[in-house]
Amino acid sequence: MGFRLEGIFPAALLPLLLTMILFLGPLMQLSMDCPCDLADGLKVVLAPRSWARCLTDMRWLRNQVIAPLTEELVFRACMLPMLAPCTGLGPAVFTCPLFFGVAHFHHIIEQLRFRQSSVGSIFLSAAFQFSYTAVFGAYTAFLFIRTGHLIGPVLCHSFCNYMGFPAVCAALEHPQRRPLLAGYALGVGLFLLLLQPLTDPRLYGSLPLCVLLERTGDSEAPLCS
């Protein structure tokens, strides 16, 4: 289920670093639009009072701690080991996220109940959310298999919940559009370039899910090596 000490430090740091590289453009956008400079921002981030405020905010706890931990535990740590022996690792990586995407359909009920928008726009928004949550779910499933740890997917999930979906339209209209779009492109390019090296299983020790498949006589070499 991804709870082990072997290789835990690279499993915590490298997937998060990889995800932050993918979000290079949005991070640049956030820094450009932030009224405070880097030193002031670091003071706020490192201040104990700021963390104490966050830990007493139920919305922050839900988005940054509870949801990432419980969703990754259910849809990656529990579901992948059950699906993989039946379907193989490759199909399981793309099947698990479908359940993960459907699990977010409760937002449709909330929006319909409170009449937050028209029915058509609500279902269009739900289809879009299903698409990107399914893609994200496939990514964290890939991380879980390649690292053999749950901590990496949980930290990446928490980071992505904080960042939200990249504001590409705002970037296109930004006063510093050219460097910003270059940051978006560079982030995606570096992410694709570093995806395999930073998730190399040799960095993380033995992979429990791959060991399980080997015992059943079925191992997917491309993901396990």
Side-chain angles (χ1 to χ4, degrees):
M1 293 179 69
F3 297 105
R4 60 196 183 98
L5 292 177
E6 182 188 14
I8 191 169
F9 291 111
L13 295 175
L14 295 182
L16 181 59
L17 174 63
L18 183 65
T19 307
M20 292 176 73
I21 289 172
L22 176 62
F23 276 77
L24 178 60
L27 286 170
M28 288 175 58
Q29 193 169 348
L30 188 64
S31 66
M32 288 176 179
D33 296 339
C34 183
C36 58
D37 59 22
L38 181 61
D40 292 336
L42 287 174
K43 287 179 183 178
V44 172
V45 170
L46 298 175
R49 185 175 296 179
S50 297
W51 283 102
R53 192 181 302 116
C54 289
L55 293 173
T56 56
D57 183 346
M58 290 307 299
R59 180 174 294 182
W60 186 91
L61 285 172
R62 181 196 66 185
N63 293 337
Q64 310 307 134
V65 180
I66 298 171
L69 180 59
T70 55
E71 290 178 359
E72 295 304 318
L73 181 64
V74 171
F75 293 102
R76 254 58 76 183
C78 293
M79 192 172 288
L80 271 173
M82 291 190 294
L83 281 176
C86 302
T87 65
L89 281 181
V93 165
F94 294 102
T95 303
C96 256
L98 301 180
F99 294 98
F100 179 61
V102 169
H104 290 78
F105 275 4
H106 65 89
H107 295 298
I108 301 177
I109 300 172
E110 294 175 2
Q111 292 175 354
L112 289 172
R113 181 181 177 184
F114 295 105
R115 301 290 182 181
Q116 294 179 355
S117 186
S118 65
V119 174
S121 61
I122 288 173
F123 278 96
L124 185 63
S125 173
F128 178 70
Q129 185 180 36
F130 172 82
S131 299
Y132 76 74
T133 52
V135 170
F136 175 78
Y139 171 59
T140 53
F142 176 84
L143 292 177
F144 179 77
I145 293 169
R146 296 275 290 178
T147 66
H149 282 272
L150 185 64
I151 189 169
V154 170
L155 291 176
C156 293
H157 195 146
S158 180
F159 173 77
C160 290
N161 277 1
Y162 173 76
M163 293 298 296
F165 193 82
V168 180
C169 292
L172 291 171
E173 299 175 356
H174 200 276
Q176 301 183 55
R177 180 173 63 254
R178 289 185 178 179
L180 196 52
L181 293 179
Y184 270 81
L186 181 62
V188 173
L190 288 174
F191 171 80
L192 295 174
L193 185 66
L194 296 172
L195 180 61
Q196 293 289 337
L198 290 185
T199 61
D200 189 333
R202 289 173 293 184
L203 297 170
Y204 308 101
S206 61
L207 304 181
L209 190 52
C210 294
V211 172
L212 172 66
L213 291 179
E214 287 175 1
R215 289 175 181 172
T216 62
D218 182 20
S219 178
E220 299 272 343
L223 289 177
C224 292
S225 60

